[in-house]
Amino acid sequence: MRKIFVVVSALSLASFALQFVFAAVGAFTRPAGDGAYALHSVTGMAVIPVLTLLTVLFAALARAPGRLVGLAALPLGLVVVQALLAALANGATDAAGASTPFGLTIAGLHAVNGIVAVHVVVNVLRGARQLARPEPDVAAPVAVREGEPA
């Protein structure tokens, strides 16, 4: 289970990295239509939550410490915050439908929250790798009395 925990954590990190690529695709698509951010939306609203739930499941099955299990669950909450920030940024437009300074600030927080989520997932992967490492064999100390051959 510990190796599977590592693999799912790595897949989760890869999906977060792809999120940034998909956001850039949406930002640079011309003309920018409704589908420009489709990959970004699907990954953020479906792929990442599923991988996060699988990460939490395998963290628990791998008997990871509670703190690591909780850390593995944190990206799910950050995804909810992401959706709220995106909705708020999209809704913060003027009467003509143009972006406002408030909306752009919220959009910036959307990016910052994504960076925070990546750092959380990196730490989950580090914890998973550490948990999957075999424990070194510790030799039991042997008591040797004075005058006896060792």
Side-chain angles (χ1 to χ4, degrees), residues 17-77:
L18 283 173
Q19 266 302 76
F20 285 91
V21 173
F22 296 152
V25 167
F28 292 106
T29 297
R30 299 292 179 257
D34 289 339
Y37 287 96
L39 289 172
H40 184 72
S41 294
V42 168
T43 303
M45 300 305 288
V47 175
I48 287 175
V50 168
L51 284 172
T52 299
L53 290 173
L54 288 173
T55 302
V56 172
L57 173 68
F58 287 112
L61 291 174
R63 297 188 179 159
R67 184 169 184 242
L68 185 56
V69 175
L71 192 64
L74 185 57
L76 199 54

Side-chain angles (χ1 to χ4, degrees), residues 2-3 6 125-136:
R2 291 180 175 189
K3 288 183 181 181
V6 172
L125 180 56
R126 283 182 183 156
R129 284 181 174 162
Q130 186 175 11
L131 191 66
R133 282 192 200 119
E135 305 245 347

